[in-house]
Amino acid sequence: MTATLIWILAGLVVIGLYLSWTAGRLDRLHARIDATRAGLDAQLLRRASVAQELATSGVLDPAASIVLYEAAHAARQAEEEQREVAESELSQALRAVFAEALQVEAVREAPGGEAAAGELTEAVRRVPMARRFHNDAVRAARALRRHRKVRWFRLAGHAPFPNAFEMDDEPPPALAERAPA
């Protein structure tokens, strides 16, 4: 009788340890999501700031400046539920303005243009990487949260179900060609 009780108690301890480990893993995934989201937000803000700065520099023609400025301003001011759409529109504006290599060359030839073009190229290149890191963290947390043990024992607590950040982040061809390898 006591041996059976000891085995049952040992089994419950092992199950408790496993559930505790799983809850800790889920908590670390949620912390990773928060960190990658902060990184993504920083890269999106950097891209919008560089685009807005370039739009107001006087290097671009007036129509391109207006299109780029409005898209960058909308991306910076967007509410959370409209953020993906605003960032996608900024990507489209960047592709429209820098569709041709001649536009990039015109920016590079202006005083301070080499630095501005390089900064924009870096910003445009880093956004897809930051988004990929964030979405990978979301995917891992979602996979773990779908397990029965997580749902049955409510190991996720009151944390909201993580959502991926879906946007058009394709860089302008003229900037992508000049991106450092």
Side-chain angles (χ1 to χ4, degrees):
M1 176 78 173
T2 57
T4 305
L5 209 54
I6 290 173
W7 279 109
I8 290 173
L9 191 60
L12 289 174
V13 167
V14 167
I15 290 171
L17 287 173
Y18 178 70
L19 290 175
S20 175
W21 175 81
T22 303
R25 182 172 167 225
L26 190 57
D27 186 51
R28 287 188 302 276
L29 282 172
H30 282 134
R32 187 173 140 208
I33 287 171
D34 291 342
T36 58
R37 180 57 190 243
L40 175 61
D41 286 342
Q43 292 305 322
L44 292 171
L45 181 62
R46 179 176 180 224
R47 181 181 76 153
S49 297
V50 170
Q52 202 168 21
E53 184 180 312
L54 194 58
T56 59
S57 69
V59 175
L60 302 172
D61 64 85
S65 292
I66 291 171
V67 167
L68 194 57
Y69 180 83
E70 286 180 355
H73 181 70
R76 289 182 70 173
Q77 300 298 320
E79 297 293 326
E80 191 59 36
E81 54 274 355
Q82 296 298 318
R83 184 96 188 267
E84 294 173 354
V85 173
E87 294 294 345
S88 293
E89 288 172 356
L90 177 56
S91 295
Q92 293 166 1
L94 284 166
R95 279 197 308 273
V97 170
F98 295 106
E100 299 176 6
L102 293 174
Q103 186 73 1
V104 176
E105 291 306 318
V107 169
R108 288 186 187 280
E109 290 171 1
E114 188 69 36
E119 195 173 348
L120 182 62
T121 300
E122 281 299 307
V124 164
R125 189 175 64 84
R126 288 180 180 176
V127 166
M129 289 189 302
R131 189 175 72 87
R132 196 172 310 121
F133 290 148
H134 174 69
N135 288 349
D136 286 347
V138 167
R139 195 173 303 112
R142 282 180 159 189
L144 185 57
R145 286 184 69 155
R146 284 191 188 105
H147 289 157
R148 276 188 226 118
K149 65 181 175 254
V150 173
R151 291 191 319 262
W152 288 351
F153 293 102
R154 302 188 196 290
L155 298 180
H158 296 289
F161 198 74
N163 291 318
F165 195 86
E166 297 300 331
M167 64 171 270
D168 174 8
D169 61 3
E170 184 180 334
L175 289 176
E177 292 169 3
R178 306 202 40 108

